[in-house]
Amino acid sequence: MTSPAAFTQAHISYAAVVPMLVIFGAAMVGVLVEAFLPRAQRYWAQVGVTFVGIVAAFLTLVLISRDNRGITAADAVVVDGPALLLQGTILVISFFAVMLMAERFDTPAADAFTQSGASVPGSPMETNAVKLGATTTEVFPLALFSIGGMMLFVAAGDLLVMFIALEVLSLPLYILTGLARRRRLLSQEASLKYFLLGAFSSAFFLFGSALVYGATGSIKFGEIANAVGTVPGRDDIMIPGVFLIAVGLLFKVGAVPFHTWTPDVYQGAPSPVSGFMATTVKVAGFGAMLRLFYVALEGLRWNWQPIVAIVAVLTMVVGAVFAVTQTDMKRLLAYSSISHAGFLLVGVVALNKTGLSGTMFYLVAYSFTTLAAFGMIPLVRSAGSEATHLSQWAGLGKTSPVLAATFSFLLLGFAGIPLTSGFTAKFALFSGAVGHGSTWLVVIAMLMSAVTAFVYIRIIVLMYFSDPTGDTHVLMPSALTGIAVTVGALATLVLGVAPAPLLNLAQHSALFLR
Protein backbone atom coordinates (compact mmCIF):
# COMPACT_ATOMS: atom_id res chain seq x y z
CA MET A 1 0.00 0.00 0.00
CA THR A 2 1.48 3.31 -1.09
CA SER A 3 1.49 6.25 1.28
CA PRO A 4 -0.33 9.42 0.22
CA ALA A 5 1.75 12.17 -1.31
CA ALA A 6 2.86 14.87 1.07
CA PHE A 7 0.95 18.12 0.90
CA THR A 8 3.05 21.02 -0.35
CA GLN A 9 1.91 24.46 0.68
CA ALA A 10 1.81 26.97 -2.14
CA HIS A 11 4.04 29.99 -1.71
CA ILE A 12 2.30 33.32 -2.26
CA SER A 13 4.17 36.55 -2.90
CA TYR A 14 1.86 38.95 -1.10
CA ALA A 15 3.86 41.91 -2.38
CA ALA A 16 2.88 40.94 -5.93
CA VAL A 17 -0.84 40.45 -5.26
CA VAL A 18 -1.37 43.19 -2.68
CA PRO A 19 -3.40 45.47 -5.04
CA MET A 20 -6.01 42.74 -5.47
CA LEU A 21 -6.08 42.12 -1.73
CA VAL A 22 -6.65 45.83 -1.11
CA ILE A 23 -9.61 45.90 -3.53
CA PHE A 24 -11.25 42.81 -2.06
CA GLY A 25 -10.61 44.16 1.45
CA ALA A 26 -12.29 47.45 0.55
CA ALA A 27 -15.23 45.50 -0.89
CA MET A 28 -15.62 43.60 2.40
CA VAL A 29 -15.51 46.88 4.33
CA GLY A 30 -18.27 48.13 2.02
CA VAL A 31 -20.38 45.10 2.88
CA LEU A 32 -19.93 45.83 6.59
CA VAL A 33 -20.85 49.49 6.03
CA GLU A 34 -24.01 48.40 4.26
CA ALA A 35 -24.90 46.05 7.11
CA PHE A 36 -24.24 48.21 10.15
CA LEU A 37 -24.18 51.90 9.26
CA PRO A 38 -27.41 53.94 9.42
CA ARG A 39 -29.06 54.50 6.07
CA ALA A 40 -28.47 58.26 6.09
CA GLN A 41 -24.71 57.81 6.43
CA ARG A 42 -24.13 55.02 3.94
CA TYR A 43 -23.77 57.02 0.74
CA TRP A 44 -20.74 59.11 1.67
CA ALA A 45 -19.19 56.25 3.63
CA GLN A 46 -19.44 53.90 0.65
CA VAL A 47 -18.14 56.50 -1.77
CA GLY A 48 -15.20 57.21 0.55
CA VAL A 49 -14.36 53.53 1.07
CA THR A 50 -14.53 52.89 -2.69
CA PHE A 51 -12.29 55.80 -3.66
CA VAL A 52 -9.77 55.06 -0.89
CA GLY A 53 -9.67 51.39 -1.86
CA ILE A 54 -9.04 52.11 -5.55
CA VAL A 55 -6.39 54.74 -4.86
CA ALA A 56 -4.64 52.53 -2.29
CA ALA A 57 -4.66 49.59 -4.71
CA PHE A 58 -3.16 51.74 -7.47
CA LEU A 59 -0.44 53.07 -5.17
CA THR A 60 0.50 49.57 -4.00
CA LEU A 61 0.59 48.42 -7.62
CA VAL A 62 3.00 51.22 -8.59
CA LEU A 63 5.13 51.19 -5.45
CA ILE A 64 5.18 47.51 -4.45
CA SER A 65 3.91 45.08 -7.08
CA ARG A 66 5.92 46.63 -9.89
CA ASP A 67 9.14 45.64 -8.13
CA ASN A 68 7.91 42.19 -7.11
CA ARG A 69 6.57 40.81 -10.37
CA GLY A 70 6.72 37.08 -10.89
CA ILE A 71 4.76 33.84 -10.96
CA THR A 72 3.23 33.02 -7.58
CA ALA A 73 0.54 30.99 -5.80
CA ALA A 74 1.70 27.68 -7.35
CA ASP A 75 1.77 29.20 -10.85
CA ALA A 76 -1.87 30.27 -10.49
CA VAL A 77 -1.22 34.03 -10.54
CA VAL A 78 1.24 35.79 -12.86
CA VAL A 79 2.20 39.39 -12.16
CA ASP A 80 4.18 40.58 -15.18
CA GLY A 81 4.33 43.62 -17.46
CA PRO A 82 0.99 43.12 -19.26
CA ALA A 83 -0.79 42.24 -16.00
CA LEU A 84 0.50 45.36 -14.22
CA LEU A 85 -0.34 47.69 -17.11
CA LEU A 86 -3.84 46.26 -17.52
CA GLN A 87 -4.50 46.20 -13.77
CA GLY A 88 -3.42 49.83 -13.56
CA THR A 89 -5.74 50.67 -16.45
CA ILE A 90 -8.65 48.90 -14.75
CA LEU A 91 -8.04 50.82 -11.52
CA VAL A 92 -7.73 54.23 -13.18
CA ILE A 93 -10.82 53.77 -15.37
CA SER A 94 -12.77 52.33 -12.42
CA PHE A 95 -11.91 55.40 -10.32
CA PHE A 96 -13.63 57.66 -12.83
CA ALA A 97 -16.45 55.16 -13.45
CA VAL A 98 -17.26 55.25 -9.71
CA MET A 99 -17.45 59.05 -9.98
CA LEU A 100 -20.20 58.61 -12.57
CA MET A 101 -21.96 56.05 -10.39
CA ALA A 102 -21.88 58.44 -7.44
CA GLU A 103 -23.50 61.33 -9.36
CA ARG A 104 -26.63 62.52 -7.50
CA PHE A 105 -27.77 65.70 -9.33
CA ASP A 106 -30.74 66.84 -7.23
CA THR A 107 -31.62 63.50 -5.64
CA PRO A 108 -30.72 62.25 -2.15
CA ALA A 109 -29.21 59.04 -3.58
CA ALA A 110 -27.12 58.19 -6.64
CA ASP A 111 -29.22 59.41 -9.57
CA ALA A 112 -28.70 56.44 -11.89
CA PHE A 113 -29.85 53.70 -9.50
CA THR A 114 -33.22 52.65 -8.16
CA GLN A 115 -33.94 52.94 -4.46
CA SER A 116 -35.43 49.46 -4.30
CA GLY A 117 -33.82 46.98 -6.63
CA ALA A 118 -35.74 43.99 -5.23
CA SER A 119 -39.23 45.47 -5.75
CA VAL A 120 -41.51 45.20 -8.75
CA PRO A 121 -41.30 48.38 -10.89
CA GLY A 122 -44.21 50.70 -10.05
CA SER A 123 -45.30 48.63 -7.06
CA PRO A 124 -46.32 50.07 -3.65
CA MET A 125 -43.12 48.57 -2.23
CA GLU A 126 -41.02 50.64 -4.61
CA THR A 127 -43.08 53.77 -3.90
CA ASN A 128 -42.64 53.26 -0.18
CA ALA A 129 -38.88 52.84 -0.58
CA VAL A 130 -38.71 56.16 -2.42
CA LYS A 131 -40.73 57.88 0.32
CA LEU A 132 -38.42 56.48 3.00
CA GLY A 133 -35.36 57.78 1.15
CA ALA A 134 -33.80 54.36 0.67
CA THR A 135 -30.44 54.31 -1.12
CA THR A 136 -28.93 51.65 -3.34
CA THR A 137 -25.46 52.10 -1.91
CA GLU A 138 -24.62 48.43 -2.33
CA VAL A 139 -23.61 49.29 -5.89
CA PHE A 140 -20.22 50.45 -4.60
CA PRO A 141 -19.06 47.19 -2.93
CA LEU A 142 -20.50 45.31 -5.92
CA ALA A 143 -18.35 47.43 -8.22
CA LEU A 144 -15.30 46.74 -6.04
CA PHE A 145 -15.83 42.97 -6.17
CA SER A 146 -16.11 43.21 -9.96
CA ILE A 147 -12.91 45.30 -10.15
CA GLY A 148 -11.08 42.71 -8.05
CA GLY A 149 -12.27 39.95 -10.36
CA MET A 150 -11.03 41.87 -13.39
CA MET A 151 -7.61 42.38 -11.84
CA LEU A 152 -7.32 38.66 -11.14
CA PHE A 153 -8.64 37.83 -14.62
CA VAL A 154 -5.74 39.52 -16.40
CA ALA A 155 -3.20 37.90 -14.03
CA ALA A 156 -4.58 34.36 -14.08
CA GLY A 157 -1.92 31.72 -14.63
CA ASP A 158 -4.20 28.73 -15.00
CA LEU A 159 -7.68 27.94 -16.28
CA LEU A 160 -9.24 27.41 -12.86
CA VAL A 161 -8.20 30.81 -11.51
CA MET A 162 -9.29 32.39 -14.79
CA PHE A 163 -12.74 30.81 -14.44
CA ILE A 164 -13.07 31.94 -10.82
CA ALA A 165 -12.04 35.47 -11.78
CA LEU A 166 -14.54 35.42 -14.64
CA GLU A 167 -17.36 34.61 -12.24
CA VAL A 168 -16.22 37.14 -9.61
CA LEU A 169 -16.18 39.96 -12.16
CA SER A 170 -19.44 38.90 -13.83
CA LEU A 171 -21.85 38.21 -10.97
CA PRO A 172 -21.85 41.79 -9.60
CA LEU A 173 -22.42 43.11 -13.13
CA TYR A 174 -25.55 40.98 -13.51
CA ILE A 175 -26.96 42.73 -10.45
CA LEU A 176 -25.77 46.22 -11.35
CA THR A 177 -27.41 45.93 -14.78
CA GLY A 178 -30.87 45.55 -13.21
CA LEU A 179 -30.67 48.53 -10.84
CA ALA A 180 -31.57 51.43 -13.16
CA ARG A 181 -33.75 54.11 -11.58
CA ARG A 182 -35.69 54.70 -14.79
CA ARG A 183 -36.95 52.20 -17.37
CA ARG A 184 -37.00 49.61 -14.63
CA LEU A 185 -38.60 46.81 -16.66
CA LEU A 186 -36.08 47.30 -19.46
CA SER A 187 -33.28 47.25 -16.89
CA GLN A 188 -34.49 44.04 -15.26
CA GLU A 189 -34.97 42.40 -18.65
CA ALA A 190 -31.39 43.33 -19.59
CA SER A 191 -30.13 41.90 -16.31
CA LEU A 192 -31.92 38.60 -16.90
CA LYS A 193 -30.60 38.32 -20.47
CA TYR A 194 -27.08 39.09 -19.35
CA PHE A 195 -27.26 36.56 -16.53
CA LEU A 196 -28.64 33.71 -18.64
CA LEU A 197 -26.30 34.23 -21.59
CA GLY A 198 -23.38 34.80 -19.21
CA ALA A 199 -24.17 31.50 -17.49
CA PHE A 200 -24.08 29.72 -20.85
CA SER A 201 -20.74 31.31 -21.76
CA SER A 202 -19.28 30.31 -18.39
CA ALA A 203 -20.43 26.74 -18.99
CA PHE A 204 -18.67 26.74 -22.37
CA PHE A 205 -15.49 28.03 -20.72
CA LEU A 206 -15.62 25.38 -18.00
CA PHE A 207 -16.34 22.53 -20.40
CA GLY A 208 -13.51 23.68 -22.65
CA SER A 209 -11.16 23.81 -19.67
CA ALA A 210 -12.09 20.22 -18.83
CA LEU A 211 -11.27 19.11 -22.38
CA VAL A 212 -7.93 20.94 -22.34
CA TYR A 213 -7.09 19.30 -19.01
CA GLY A 214 -8.01 15.92 -20.46
CA ALA A 215 -5.71 16.52 -23.41
CA THR A 216 -2.70 17.95 -21.56
CA GLY A 217 -3.08 16.72 -17.97
CA SER A 218 -2.75 20.26 -16.63
CA ILE A 219 -4.65 23.53 -16.26
CA LYS A 220 -1.52 25.69 -15.87
CA PHE A 221 -0.70 27.81 -18.89
CA GLY A 222 3.01 27.01 -18.87
CA GLU A 223 2.41 23.25 -18.71
CA ILE A 224 -0.30 23.46 -21.38
CA ALA A 225 2.17 25.26 -23.67
CA ASN A 226 4.78 22.54 -23.06
CA ALA A 227 2.26 19.77 -23.69
CA VAL A 228 1.03 21.21 -27.02
CA GLY A 229 2.62 19.20 -29.80
CA THR A 230 4.26 16.71 -27.45
CA VAL A 231 1.18 14.67 -26.53
CA PRO A 232 0.21 12.73 -29.67
CA GLY A 233 -3.34 11.73 -30.53
CA ARG A 234 -5.06 14.32 -28.34
CA ASP A 235 -5.93 17.00 -30.91
CA ASP A 236 -9.49 15.69 -31.15
CA ILE A 237 -9.93 16.78 -27.51
CA MET A 238 -7.58 19.75 -27.38
CA ILE A 239 -8.89 21.74 -30.36
CA PRO A 240 -12.59 21.66 -29.32
CA GLY A 241 -11.53 22.59 -25.78
CA VAL A 242 -9.64 25.64 -27.04
CA PHE A 243 -12.61 26.79 -29.09
CA LEU A 244 -15.02 26.34 -26.18
CA ILE A 245 -12.77 28.43 -23.92
CA ALA A 246 -12.60 31.04 -26.66
CA VAL A 247 -16.41 31.19 -26.71
CA GLY A 248 -16.46 32.22 -23.06
CA LEU A 249 -13.87 34.95 -23.62
CA LEU A 250 -15.38 36.21 -26.88
CA PHE A 251 -18.75 36.52 -25.15
CA LYS A 252 -17.23 38.70 -22.45
CA VAL A 253 -15.74 41.15 -24.97
CA GLY A 254 -18.90 41.24 -27.13
CA ALA A 255 -17.49 39.64 -30.29
CA VAL A 256 -19.73 38.26 -33.05
CA PRO A 257 -21.56 35.87 -32.96
CA PHE A 258 -21.61 36.13 -29.15
CA HIS A 259 -22.55 39.82 -29.14
CA THR A 260 -26.35 39.75 -29.01
CA TRP A 261 -26.48 40.64 -25.31
CA THR A 262 -24.44 43.82 -25.75
CA PRO A 263 -26.96 46.34 -27.19
CA ASP A 264 -29.80 45.17 -24.92
CA VAL A 265 -27.67 45.24 -21.77
CA TYR A 266 -26.01 48.58 -22.55
CA GLN A 267 -29.42 50.12 -23.23
CA GLY A 268 -31.12 48.72 -20.14
CA ALA A 269 -28.32 49.14 -17.60
CA PRO A 270 -27.75 52.43 -15.75
CA SER A 271 -25.56 54.58 -18.00
CA PRO A 272 -22.59 54.62 -15.56
CA VAL A 273 -22.73 50.81 -15.43
CA SER A 274 -22.86 50.65 -19.23
CA GLY A 275 -19.72 52.79 -19.35
CA PHE A 276 -18.10 50.64 -16.68
CA MET A 277 -18.81 47.46 -18.66
CA ALA A 278 -17.80 48.94 -22.01
CA THR A 279 -14.36 49.88 -20.66
CA THR A 280 -13.04 47.84 -17.76
CA VAL A 281 -14.66 44.58 -18.81
CA LYS A 282 -13.15 44.92 -22.29
CA VAL A 283 -9.73 45.57 -20.77
CA ALA A 284 -10.08 42.48 -18.56
CA GLY A 285 -11.50 40.29 -21.31
CA PHE A 286 -8.80 41.09 -23.84
CA GLY A 287 -6.12 40.88 -21.17
CA ALA A 288 -7.18 37.32 -20.37
CA MET A 289 -7.50 36.44 -24.05
CA LEU A 290 -4.01 37.72 -24.84
CA ARG A 291 -2.49 35.74 -21.99
CA LEU A 292 -4.30 32.55 -22.98
CA PHE A 293 -3.45 32.71 -26.69
CA TYR A 294 0.04 34.19 -26.39
CA VAL A 295 1.24 31.98 -23.51
CA ALA A 296 -0.72 28.73 -23.34
CA LEU A 297 -1.84 28.28 -26.94
CA GLU A 298 0.91 29.82 -29.03
CA GLY A 299 1.84 26.36 -30.30
CA LEU A 300 -1.68 25.94 -31.72
CA ARG A 301 -1.69 29.26 -33.56
CA TRP A 302 -2.29 27.57 -36.93
CA ASN A 303 -5.55 26.22 -35.51
CA TRP A 304 -6.97 29.25 -33.74
CA GLN A 305 -5.57 32.23 -35.70
CA PRO A 306 -7.77 31.69 -38.81
CA ILE A 307 -10.88 31.32 -36.63
CA VAL A 308 -10.12 34.43 -34.60
CA ALA A 309 -9.41 36.34 -37.83
CA ILE A 310 -12.83 35.36 -39.20
CA VAL A 311 -14.47 36.38 -35.91
CA ALA A 312 -12.63 39.71 -36.09
CA VAL A 313 -13.98 40.38 -39.59
CA LEU A 314 -17.53 39.45 -38.63
CA THR A 315 -17.31 41.58 -35.49
CA MET A 316 -16.06 44.65 -37.36
CA VAL A 317 -18.66 44.31 -40.12
CA VAL A 318 -21.65 43.61 -37.86
CA GLY A 319 -20.70 46.35 -35.39
CA ALA A 320 -20.23 48.95 -38.12
CA VAL A 321 -23.24 48.07 -40.28
CA PHE A 322 -25.73 47.75 -37.42
CA ALA A 323 -24.49 50.99 -35.87
CA VAL A 324 -25.76 52.79 -38.99
CA THR A 325 -29.34 51.66 -38.32
CA GLN A 326 -29.52 52.60 -34.62
CA THR A 327 -31.74 55.40 -33.32
CA ASP A 328 -30.88 55.04 -29.61
CA MET A 329 -27.63 56.58 -28.42
CA LYS A 330 -26.77 53.79 -25.97
CA ARG A 331 -27.47 51.06 -28.52
CA LEU A 332 -25.37 52.96 -31.05
CA LEU A 333 -22.45 53.09 -28.61
CA ALA A 334 -23.01 49.39 -27.93
CA TYR A 335 -22.55 48.52 -31.61
CA SER A 336 -19.60 50.90 -31.68
CA SER A 337 -18.16 48.87 -28.81
CA ILE A 338 -18.68 45.70 -30.85
CA SER A 339 -16.83 47.15 -33.84
CA HIS A 340 -13.94 48.19 -31.58
CA ALA A 341 -13.82 44.64 -30.24
CA GLY A 342 -13.28 43.53 -33.83
CA PHE A 343 -10.40 45.98 -34.20
CA LEU A 344 -8.83 44.67 -31.00
CA LEU A 345 -9.08 41.08 -32.24
CA VAL A 346 -6.80 42.13 -35.10
CA GLY A 347 -4.12 42.72 -32.46
CA VAL A 348 -4.79 39.29 -30.94
CA VAL A 349 -4.31 37.62 -34.33
CA ALA A 350 -0.95 39.38 -34.83
CA LEU A 351 0.71 37.23 -32.13
CA ASN A 352 3.79 39.45 -31.86
CA LYS A 353 5.16 42.08 -29.50
CA THR A 354 3.95 44.95 -31.65
CA GLY A 355 0.45 43.53 -31.71
CA LEU A 356 0.50 43.03 -27.93
CA SER A 357 1.71 46.56 -27.17
CA GLY A 358 -0.67 48.05 -29.73
CA THR A 359 -3.61 46.18 -28.23
CA MET A 360 -2.80 47.39 -24.72
CA PHE A 361 -2.42 51.00 -25.93
CA TYR A 362 -5.75 50.71 -27.78
CA LEU A 363 -7.48 49.44 -24.65
CA VAL A 364 -6.26 52.42 -22.61
CA ALA A 365 -7.15 55.00 -25.25
CA TYR A 366 -10.54 53.48 -26.05
CA SER A 367 -11.48 53.20 -22.37
CA PHE A 368 -11.01 56.90 -21.61
CA THR A 369 -13.02 57.98 -24.65
CA THR A 370 -15.84 55.52 -24.06
CA LEU A 371 -16.22 56.29 -20.36
CA ALA A 372 -16.47 60.02 -21.09
CA ALA A 373 -19.10 59.38 -23.78
CA PHE A 374 -21.27 57.27 -21.48
CA GLY A 375 -20.78 59.85 -18.73
CA MET A 376 -22.38 62.54 -20.90
CA ILE A 377 -25.52 60.60 -21.82
CA PRO A 378 -27.25 61.08 -18.40
CA LEU A 379 -26.82 64.84 -18.72
CA VAL A 380 -29.28 65.05 -21.63
CA ARG A 381 -32.81 64.73 -20.23
CA SER A 382 -36.36 64.87 -21.48
CA ALA A 383 -39.49 64.53 -19.31
CA GLY A 384 -37.35 63.58 -16.31
CA SER A 385 -35.60 60.69 -18.04
CA GLU A 386 -32.46 60.23 -20.09
CA ALA A 387 -32.96 61.44 -23.66
CA THR A 388 -31.28 58.63 -25.55
CA HIS A 389 -33.18 58.82 -28.86
CA LEU A 390 -31.03 60.48 -31.50
CA SER A 391 -33.79 62.93 -32.41
CA GLN A 392 -33.65 64.31 -28.87
CA TRP A 393 -30.01 65.31 -29.41
CA ALA A 394 -30.91 67.55 -32.33
CA GLY A 395 -29.78 71.14 -31.94
CA LEU A 396 -27.65 70.59 -28.84
CA GLY A 397 -24.89 72.56 -30.55
CA LYS A 398 -27.11 75.64 -30.15
CA THR A 399 -28.64 74.99 -26.73
CA SER A 400 -25.61 73.41 -25.03
CA PRO A 401 -22.47 74.18 -27.04
CA VAL A 402 -20.00 72.84 -24.44
CA LEU A 403 -21.66 69.43 -24.24
CA ALA A 404 -22.05 69.22 -28.02
CA ALA A 405 -18.42 70.20 -28.64
CA THR A 406 -17.08 67.72 -26.10
CA PHE A 407 -19.27 64.86 -27.35
CA SER A 408 -18.35 65.66 -30.96
CA PHE A 409 -14.66 65.48 -30.10
CA LEU A 410 -15.17 62.09 -28.44
CA LEU A 411 -16.98 60.84 -31.54
CA LEU A 412 -14.06 61.98 -33.69
CA GLY A 413 -11.84 59.96 -31.36
CA PHE A 414 -14.01 56.88 -31.96
CA ALA A 415 -13.70 57.49 -35.71
CA GLY A 416 -9.90 57.63 -35.51
CA ILE A 417 -9.47 61.18 -36.79
CA PRO A 418 -5.86 62.48 -36.51
CA LEU A 419 -4.91 64.36 -33.33
CA THR A 420 -7.16 62.06 -31.30
CA SER A 421 -6.22 58.93 -29.38
CA GLY A 422 -8.31 56.83 -31.77
CA PHE A 423 -5.98 57.56 -34.68
CA THR A 424 -2.82 56.77 -32.73
CA ALA A 425 -4.37 53.63 -31.23
CA LYS A 426 -5.43 52.24 -34.60
CA PHE A 427 -2.04 53.00 -36.11
CA ALA A 428 -0.27 51.20 -33.24
CA LEU A 429 -2.68 48.26 -33.37
CA PHE A 430 -2.68 47.74 -37.12
CA SER A 431 1.12 47.96 -37.31
CA GLY A 432 1.36 44.63 -35.52
CA ALA A 433 -1.09 43.00 -37.92
CA VAL A 434 0.79 44.29 -40.97
CA GLY A 435 4.04 42.97 -39.50
CA HIS A 436 2.40 39.58 -39.06
CA GLY A 437 1.27 39.52 -42.68
CA SER A 438 -2.42 40.14 -42.02
CA THR A 439 -2.64 43.21 -44.26
CA TRP A 440 -6.01 42.03 -45.57
CA LEU A 441 -7.40 42.27 -42.03
CA VAL A 442 -6.15 45.85 -41.75
CA VAL A 443 -7.77 46.76 -45.08
CA ILE A 444 -11.14 45.46 -43.86
CA ALA A 445 -10.65 47.29 -40.55
CA MET A 446 -10.01 50.58 -42.39
CA LEU A 447 -13.13 50.11 -44.51
CA MET A 448 -15.23 49.46 -41.42
CA SER A 449 -13.65 52.49 -39.74
CA ALA A 450 -14.97 54.57 -42.63
CA VAL A 451 -18.46 53.14 -42.11
CA THR A 452 -18.44 53.93 -38.39
CA ALA A 453 -17.05 57.41 -39.17
CA PHE A 454 -20.24 58.06 -41.13
CA VAL A 455 -22.27 57.12 -38.05
CA TYR A 456 -20.34 59.47 -35.77
CA ILE A 457 -20.34 62.39 -38.21
CA ARG A 458 -24.09 61.97 -38.68
CA ILE A 459 -24.56 62.62 -34.94
CA ILE A 460 -22.34 65.69 -35.12
CA VAL A 461 -24.38 67.01 -38.04
CA LEU A 462 -27.57 66.31 -36.09
CA MET A 463 -26.35 68.32 -33.11
CA TYR A 464 -25.12 71.31 -35.10
CA PHE A 465 -27.31 71.50 -38.19
CA SER A 466 -30.75 70.59 -36.83
CA ASP A 467 -33.23 72.62 -34.83
CA PRO A 468 -33.69 71.82 -31.12
CA THR A 469 -36.67 69.64 -30.25
CA GLY A 470 -37.73 71.96 -27.45
CA ASP A 471 -38.38 69.35 -24.73
CA THR A 472 -34.73 68.37 -24.26
CA HIS A 473 -32.57 70.04 -21.63
CA VAL A 474 -29.07 69.49 -20.28
CA LEU A 475 -28.41 69.06 -16.56
CA MET A 476 -25.53 70.74 -14.79
CA PRO A 477 -23.26 67.96 -13.51
CA SER A 478 -21.53 67.94 -10.17
CA ALA A 479 -17.75 67.92 -9.86
CA LEU A 480 -17.80 64.10 -10.00
CA THR A 481 -19.19 63.80 -13.52
CA GLY A 482 -17.39 66.97 -14.62
CA ILE A 483 -13.99 65.58 -13.62
CA ALA A 484 -14.63 62.15 -15.17
CA VAL A 485 -15.77 63.58 -18.52
CA THR A 486 -13.02 66.20 -18.59
CA VAL A 487 -10.29 63.64 -17.90
CA GLY A 488 -11.69 61.34 -20.60
CA ALA A 489 -11.76 64.14 -23.17
CA LEU A 490 -8.26 65.36 -22.21
CA ALA A 491 -6.88 61.81 -22.43
CA THR A 492 -8.41 61.51 -25.92
CA LEU A 493 -6.54 64.65 -26.92
CA VAL A 494 -3.24 64.00 -25.13
CA LEU A 495 -2.93 60.41 -26.36
CA GLY A 496 -3.51 61.68 -29.88
CA VAL A 497 -1.02 64.56 -29.73
CA ALA A 498 1.68 63.11 -27.42
CA PRO A 499 1.24 59.32 -27.25
CA ALA A 500 4.95 58.48 -26.83
CA PRO A 501 5.01 57.94 -23.02
CA LEU A 502 2.14 55.46 -23.05
CA LEU A 503 3.38 53.78 -26.23
CA ASN A 504 6.81 53.30 -24.67
CA LEU A 505 5.25 51.95 -21.49
CA ALA A 506 3.14 49.49 -23.50
CA GLN A 507 6.17 48.35 -25.49
CA HIS A 508 8.28 47.84 -22.36
CA SER A 509 5.41 45.94 -20.72
CA ALA A 510 4.72 43.66 -23.71
CA LEU A 511 6.41 40.55 -22.32
CA PHE A 512 4.51 37.69 -20.70
CA LEU A 513 6.17 35.58 -18.03
CA ARG A 514 5.88 31.88 -18.82
Side-chain angles (χ1 to χ4, degrees):
M1 181 176 179
T2 59
S3 60
F7 174 76
T8 303
Q9 183 178 357
H11 171 72
I12 300 177
S13 174
Y14 290 100
V17 301
V18 65
M20 291 179 277
L21 298 179
V22 170
I23 288 294
F24 285 122
M28 294 302 299
V29 172
V31 172
L32 295 176
V33 167
E34 198 66 25
F36 296 108
L37 211 62
R39 180 180 298 164
Q41 302 174 17
R42 289 178 194 166
Y43 171 79
W44 285 113
Q46 293 284 27
V47 171
V49 167
T50 305
F51 282 141
V52 169
I54 294 175
V55 171
F58 184 78
L59 291 176
T60 55
L61 184 143
V62 173
L63 300 176
I64 301 176
S65 295
R66 186 183 62 177
D67 299 324
N68 291 274
R69 59 184 76 187
I71 303 176
T72 185
D75 300 338
V77 178
V78 182
V79 179
D80 52 12
L84 290 172
L85 178 59
L86 296 175
Q87 285 181 343
T89 302
I90 290 169
L91 289 171
V92 172
I93 298 300
S94 297
F95 182 84
F96 296 108
V98 170
M99 284 187 173
L100 300 179
M101 294 181 191
E103 177 62 75
R104 297 201 297 180
F105 293 118
D106 56 351
T107 60
D111 177 79
F113 300 99
T114 180
Q115 292 174 304
S116 181
S119 62
V120 177
S123 66
M125 180 180 175
E126 185 179 52
T127 304
N128 188 50
V130 174
K131 289 181 179 179
L132 292 174
T135 57
T136 315
T137 47
E138 65 267 22
V139 299
F140 298 106
L142 285 172
L144 285 172
F145 277 119
S146 185
I147 293 167
M150 295 176 202
M151 294 176 68
L152 182 59
F153 201 40
V154 300
D158 65 42
L159 292 172
L160 180 59
V161 171
M162 185 171 282
F163 174 75
I164 293 172
L166 175 64
E167 294 304 295
V168 172
L169 77 90
S170 299
L171 292 175
L173 293 176
Y174 301 150
I175 302 172
L176 291 171
T177 300
L179 296 180
R181 178 185 290 270
R182 302 162 191 87
R183 302 181 183 178
R184 295 278 292 115
L185 287 174
L186 185 65
S187 178
Q188 292 184 350
E189 178 187 352
S191 178
L192 183 61
K193 287 180 178 178
Y194 193 21
F195 169 69
L196 292 177
L197 293 176
F200 277 114
S201 72
S202 296
F204 279 117
F205 185 98
L206 196 58
F207 189 31
S209 300
L211 292 179
V212 170
Y213 176 75
T216 63
S218 178
I219 57 174
K220 298 178 180 180
F221 290 166
E223 295 180 3
I224 291 173
N226 293 332
V228 169
T230 62
V231 183
R234 300 290 179 87
D235 284 354
D236 55 340
I237 301 177
M238 183 70 179
I239 302 303
V242 170
F243 289 147
L244 288 174
I245 293 173
V247 168
L249 297 177
L250 292 170
F251 171 88
K252 192 51 64 178
V253 301
V256 175
F258 316 107
H259 70 290
T260 52
W261 63 275
T262 308
D264 292 337
V265 171
Y266 282 22
Q267 183 184 22
S271 292
V273 176
S274 299
F276 182 62
M277 289 191 293
T279 54
T280 55
V281 174
K282 254 191 180 48
V283 173
F286 275 102
M289 192 181 302
L290 288 168
R291 185 174 299 279
L292 178 69
F293 286 135
Y294 277 50
V295 177
L297 304 176
E298 183 180 6
L300 292 174
R301 57 186 178 275
W302 303 116
N303 298 100
W304 61 259
Q305 271 183 327
I307 303 300
V308 175
I310 293 172
V311 171
V313 172
L314 292 175
T315 304
M316 290 186 286
V317 172
V318 170
V321 172
F322 277 80
V324 176
T325 66
Q326 299 307 307
T327 58
D328 184 271
M329 186 64 74
K330 292 174 73 173
R331 291 184 71 88
L332 187 149
L333 289 180
Y335 279 104
S336 170
S337 172
I338 292 170
S339 68
H340 284 285
F343 299 148
L344 285 160
L345 285 173
V346 174
V348 176
V349 172
L351 199 64
N352 54 33
K353 185 176 181 179
T354 306
L356 175 57
S357 63
T359 303
M360 292 192 293
F361 180 88
Y362 198 109
L363 287 169
V364 177
Y366 166 80
S367 295
F368 277 109
T369 307
T370 301
L371 188 67
F374 274 103
M376 300 186 75
I377 290 177
L379 302 179
V380 184
R381 297 292 177 96
S382 178
S385 183
E386 292 180 359
T388 59
H389 197 278
L390 292 186
S391 62
Q392 296 173 307
W393 287 61
L396 284 182
K398 303 172 183 177
T399 60
S400 183
V402 175
L403 181 141
T406 305
F407 198 77
S408 297
F409 178 69
L410 295 174
L411 293 176
L412 294 177
F414 284 134
I417 302 300
L419 301 183
T420 67
S421 61
F423 175 81
T424 311
K426 287 181 179 177
F427 183 84
L429 182 69
F430 297 157
S431 297
V434 172
H436 171 261
S438 300
T439 307
W440 65 277
L441 261 182
V442 176
V443 172
I444 296 175
M446 296 304 295
L447 292 174
M448 293 304 103
S449 295
V451 175
T452 55
F454 163 77
V455 177
Y456 305 135
I457 294 174
R458 183 185 64 175
I459 299 174
I460 297 174
V461 171
L462 179 70
M463 290 192 292
Y464 281 97
F465 298 99
S466 300
D467 295 325
T469 58
D471 62 341
T472 301
H473 63 281
V474 176
L475 297 179
M476 180 62 66
S478 70
L480 295 173
T481 297
I483 291 173
V485 172
T486 301
V487 169
L490 287 176
T492 303
L493 176 63
V494 171
L495 294 179
V497 177
L502 183 58
L503 278 173
N504 291 334
L505 178 61
Q507 290 170 358
H508 290 143
S509 302
L511 180 63
F512 285 111
L513 292 179
R514 302 171 186 268

